[in-house]
Structures are given as C-alpha cells and as structure tokens.
Amino acid sequence: MRILHVASEIYPLVKAGGLADVIASLPAALAKRGLDVRVLLPGFPGILNGMLGLKPVIRIGPAFGAAVITIYIGSLPDSGLLAYVIDAPFLYQRQGNIYVGFDGFEWSDNHRRFGLLGWVAAHVASGELDPDWRPDVVHAHDWHAGLAPIYMAQNPGLKTASVFTIHNLAYQGIFPMDCLADLGLPMRQLTPHGIEFHGMISFMKAALVYSKKITTVSPTYAREIRTPEFGCGLDGVLRDRAGDLSGILNGVDPEIWNPEDPDIARPYSADNLKGKMACKLALQSELGLSNQAEGPLFAVVSRLFSQKGMDLLLAALPDLLREGAQLAVLGTGEDYLEEGFRHAAAANPEKVAAFVGYDEAMAHRFFAGADVLLVPSRFEPCGLTQLYALRYGTLPLVHRVGGLADTVIDATPGNLQSDSATGFVFDDVDRQAISDSIHEACTLYRDQIAWHQVQRRAMEQDFSWDDSAAHYEALYRSL
Ligand code: ADP
C-alpha cells in the first residue's frame, strides 16, 4: 500500500512545534510495517538544504504566483524515506519563520504558499507529476495541507483516498473570499456546505468536509472538538462527520528522547536514578539557580501562549515559590508572557530561570534535569512534552484535557495506591487548581520512596509509534 504524507514541517529540517516530530516519526513507523511511504514538503530553505540526493522529477508553472516550480525527490536525512520537495523560490525561499513574516503577521500570500502544497499532493495522487509512483492514500496534516482533499475531489476519476489529521484545530488557515481566484477552485464550493466559513475561506474546513476520514491526535481531543467549547467554530462540521472521525495518540521516538541521550549531563535509567540528580545539579548550575536538592525543580518547555496556560502558571508562581520549589522555563511566544517570566527570574534569580528562545538540546537537558514538567494547557490536542518527560522520570503536572488526560494518571494521595499513577492532573483551569496540584507534587516529593516509585512507573510507560502506526494502517486498509 502506498501512502503520501503531506505536511509543512519535519524534524530536524524545519520545526515550529510537535507537528514536525510527528512527521519525522509516523511515516518511518509505517514504513517499518512494510508500507510504501513518501512525504511531500514545501521547499523551505531548511528542507532543500537538509535533504539528501535531490533530483528533479518535473518542472511546472507558472502557478500560485510562482513563475517556475520544480518538484524534486530525495531522501530524508534521518529515516532515509523518499520525499518530494516543491521548490518554488518565490513562495518558499524566505528567511525567518515559515508561517509569519518579520512584521509579526502571517505572510500575506500564505493561501498561495499552502494552496500549492495541497494542489501538488492532488497531482501526485493522479500520477501526473510522477508517473512511476501513485499513492493509494494521501494523508494530509493540519490546515497547511488542508486543500489536498478538495483538489483531489476536482478529479472525479481519482481512486486515491484522503485522510486528514487535525494536530491543532485552533489554527485554521482562514483567508478572505477573494483569495479563491488565486486557488483555482470553483465558486460553487464557496458555500456553508463547502469551504466558506463566516464569509471567509477556511483551509481547515475544506479538509474536514472533503477528506474521506478525519483523525486527530488523541481520543479525548476527538470527543472534545465536537463540542462548542473546544470546536473553534467547527464543532458542527465535526459532529456531522463524527462517524469518520477518530483519535489516535501520537508516540515518542525512543532514539531521540531517552535518559541515555548524548545531550544530558549523565545517563540514567529506571533502575539507577543517580544520574538524574547529576542532571538536576547541572541544569541548576547552567541556569544560575541555587543547587538546592530539597525542593522540586519544576520546568516548562513550551510555546509561551495562553493556549498553554502560561498566564495561569505566572499567576500561580508565588504559590510555587512558597512551597520552596524552583521553576525553569524554556520557551518563546507572546511578548507579555516572555516578559513576565523574564521579570520573575530577575526578581528571584536563585529560584526562577527563564531562557527565552528555542533550543532543542537545551530541551533535552530540561526534561532530564527537572523533577516535574508543567503542562497546564487550556486545550491540548495530544501534547508531546509530557510524553518526553515521562521517559526521563520527570513527572508531568497537567490539566485534564485532550491528550494530557489520555496519557497522565494522577498521583495525588487517594490515587497513589492505584499502581498506575504517573504524574499530577488537575481539573479546573484556574490559579487555585494549579497551585493545589503544585502543592500535591511538593508533598509527594518529600516522600522520596513514593516519588521514586511513581518515577519508575512513569519511565516504564510505552508510548511507542508502533501502536499508533498500527492504528493508522488499519484506517488506511478500511479505505
Ligand atoms: P505544540 O505542537 O502545541 O507546540 P507539543 O507538545 O505537541 O506542542 O510539541 C512541542 C514540541 O516543541 C516538543 O518537541 C517540544 O520539546 C518543542 N519545544 C517547544 N518549545 C521549545 C523551545 N523553546 N525549545 C526547544 N524545544 C521546544
């Protein structure tokens, strides 16, 4: 069975968030099961520079505002899988963020940049671009690839099935109606039953209406997005498609995320946690925190946005400090949150550290060195950092929502005996709930025997890609 994955990010070439990690791992896990998998990516500088052995497949254009477009094929550096890359310098050869310009606003031609991605996917499906390889299934990810199913639907003879995965429903790719002309889609699709969304065009809605099957990245999020609270205005569409919507949890790449990784101060394992203390001391020293061992070190590795509950954490910070704990933050995002954490660090240099920036190796040192990873997200489709933290015996403290609810089991006193507790889970998104949960974590930390027991259990959790890939394969076969 031939599967084409279509996405805008892939670790380690271009990464803005968890999507990149998934696109690095899921196609490889499917290939391991014997499927013939390829990936289609936009030709951002990081992708063109990082691919191996690129060869041109076909030259097309002008299209989508680009005069010349060359489709290349080459190998991905980590998995060795084949990937098509769309080299359209006018659209993709830009410095800085792949979605946002230097003025802080989304690139004004994003509808063309990502419309082209879906359009090329549909033409790979039809065999017009590469007659040697036609997929049975096109699997598109997030709004950036969201037009693939609707372009495929323009070709009534096409047998290829489409699957669409929602990694985050809050980002929808919404553009003014007059962009339709640039996308080459017929006017008749601009209706409330098509891709029209409150007088605009929505790439996400197009995907939800036109793909054969819809998945999202955890079972709980699959239920939540059918409600007005989490549906971002698309809950009605998702309720209509409920029979075709399922949740499949993301996995973790154990080669990259494990307590013997080369980026951390000292390797350790569930049976021998001594190295973890060395990692904690090293992280405290690196960040200029006092080398205290008695209180827990809480950490954040996250985009700093209100989605992630970072404003609540800032509000709860005085309570965390009163517990005698420390906080280390690694993240970038909204100015007021970056400023808030910087300010807190300046006011409490021995207790709070804030590294405002993006640093992959440092993320590993945070996961290994911290005692608790804070993920108080208001909503969280799956969340990867809590899964990474579990691998390192760093107990996640999370809001019971989306994939966080599916992957962390609460260890507050009543539940300790359950033999399954792996972290701390709170129910309400407010300062009091997060502070209470921090208090529970600090209380358990004082009982080091119980703490180690939960740590070991956390490290034994198996969120491998093998399970998820088996679910995706079953879904493809059902098509
Ligand atoms: P999202 O995709 O919503 O940002 P996820 O938890 O699914 O959240 O994935 C976030 C990914 O980005 C993880 O791999 C995490 O380690 C990484 N990450 C987030 N912020 C940073 C940062 N400042 N430095 C390094 N890695 C980061």
Side-chain angles (χ1 to χ4, degrees):
M1 190 161 44
R2 292 174 168 178
I3 315 292
L4 180 70
H5 281 266
V6 190
S8 58
E9 301 178 25
I10 186 162
Y11 174 84
L13 307 183
V14 169
K15 172 166 170 175
L19 173 64
D21 294 2
V22 174
I23 303 305
S25 300
L26 173 60
L30 289 164
K32 226 170 83 187
R33 299 181 66 80
L35 278 67
D36 181 0
V37 189
R38 293 189 183 180
V39 183
L40 170 65
L41 302 160
F44 300 125
I47 290 177
L48 282 171
N49 296 336
M51 296 267 311
L52 306 175
L54 282 179
K55 287 196 209 76
V57 177
I58 192 168
R59 180 168 282 205
I60 52 175
F64 291 80
V68 182
I69 300 167
T70 312
I71 311 291
Y72 285 94
I73 192 164
S75 308
L76 292 166
D78 283 359
S79 63
L81 287 185
L82 288 177
Y84 296 102
V85 181
I86 308 167
D87 184 21
F90 188 76
L91 297 174
Y92 300 137
Q93 282 290 332
R94 297 179 191 175
Q95 298 306 314
N97 186 286
I98 55 174
Y99 306 122
V100 180
F102 293 107
D103 56 4
F105 291 100
E106 308 214 324
W107 296 107
S108 61
D109 55 353
N110 269 356
H111 65 293
R112 286 205 191 103
R113 298 172 75 232
F114 296 106
L116 175 62
L117 181 64
W119 184 86
V120 170
H123 287 81
V124 173
S126 69
E128 284 166 271
L129 299 185
D130 183 355
D132 295 336
W133 194 86
R134 283 179 71 157
D136 301 300
V137 178
V138 168
H139 187 159
H141 297 269
D142 261 355
W143 75 263
H144 326 108
L147 293 194
I150 191 170
Y151 283 124
M152 289 166 70
Q154 308 309 301
N155 180 351
L158 192 68
K159 295 274 184 293
T160 318
S162 53
V163 173
F164 178 73
T165 296
I166 305 166
H167 294 262
N168 192 338
L169 191 62
Y171 297 91
Q172 300 188 349
I174 292 179
F175 302 99
M177 273 208 199
D178 55 14
C179 291
L180 194 73
D182 294 336
L183 300 173
L185 287 168
M187 273 306 281
R188 71 183 134 75
Q189 264 139 359
L190 200 54
T191 70
H193 299 291
I195 65 171
E196 187 271 346
F197 186 67
H198 299 292
M200 310 280 274
I201 294 171
S202 163
F203 278 37
M204 178 65 85
K205 186 175 169 194
L208 302 184
V209 172
Y210 284 92
S211 55
K212 284 265 182 319
K213 292 282 178 191
I214 305 166
T215 72
T216 188
V217 287
S218 68
T220 294
Y221 194 59
R223 285 192 297 276
E224 288 170 346
I225 55 179
R226 285 181 262 153
T227 66
E229 188 185 353
F230 293 98
C232 302
L234 289 169
D235 43 294
V237 181
L238 288 161
R239 281 195 298 277
D240 284 349
R241 300 281 332 253
D244 294 313
L245 167 65
S246 57
I248 301 176
L249 262 186
N250 284 335
V252 176
D253 185 336
E255 302 285 316
I256 298 177
W257 302 103
N258 73 76
E260 294 182 349
D261 87 49
D263 287 315
I264 66 175
R266 204 167 125 192
Y268 58 93
S269 65
D271 297 329
N272 186 352
L273 284 161
K274 276 202 204 104
K276 185 156 179 63
M277 182 49 81
C279 290
K280 178 173 178 178
L281 291 172
L283 183 63
Q284 286 168 325
S285 302
E286 176 180 351
L287 299 174
L289 295 170
S290 62
N291 273 144
Q292 67 169 48
E294 34 326 329
L297 171 59
F298 289 76
V300 165
V301 178
S302 179
R303 294 184 292 117
L304 303 179
F305 283 91
S306 65
Q307 177 207 329
K308 299 288 182 183
M310 289 295 126
D311 49 328
L312 296 174
L313 176 59
L314 259 182
L317 185 56
D319 304 328
L320 183 148
L321 295 176
R322 261 194 299 279
E323 295 281 347
Q326 294 174 311
L327 175 69
V329 176
L330 167 60
T332 52
E334 290 179 75
D335 290 345
Y336 82 101
L337 290 169
E338 291 184 354
E339 212 30 61
F341 284 114
R342 272 206 198 98
H343 189 78
N348 307 278
E350 301 216 320
K351 297 279 183 193
V352 181
F355 184 91
V356 174
Y358 192 95
D359 187 322
E360 196 76 32
M362 193 182 256
H364 287 245
R365 300 198 290 278
F366 268 59
F367 292 125
D371 297 299
V372 180
L373 184 85
L374 293 156
V375 196
S377 306
R378 287 191 163 79
F379 67 93
E380 193 58 77
C382 175
L384 291 173
T385 56
Q386 84 281 9
L387 302 181
Y388 301 156
L390 289 168
R391 301 266 308 151
Y392 290 83
T394 299
L395 306 188
L397 188 157
V398 306
H399 178 208
R400 194 188 310 279
V401 75
L404 301 172
D406 293 338
T407 55
V408 183
I409 298 168
D410 191 29
T412 39
N415 216 10
L416 251 188
Q417 285 79 353
S418 75
D419 276 355
S420 58
T422 56
F424 308 92
V425 187
F426 62 92
D427 285 293
D428 301 315
V429 264
D430 57 35
R431 170 187 172 167
Q432 194 54 50
I434 184 168
S435 291
D436 290 349
S437 197
I438 287 169
H439 175 73
E440 300 290 357
C442 292
T443 307
L444 183 66
Y445 187 79
R446 281 191 282 276
D447 178 352
Q448 280 289 299
I449 292 174
W451 186 270
H452 287 319
Q453 200 184 334
V454 181
Q455 266 185 317
R456 277 192 209 97
R457 197 176 300 131
M459 295 176 81
E460 281 158 11
Q461 300 301 302
D462 177 18
F463 290 104
S464 75
W465 273 109
D466 298 344
D467 269 4
S468 316
H471 283 101
Y472 281 109
E473 181 178 345
L475 182 76
Y476 302 150
R477 294 208 180 276
S478 77
L479 289 165

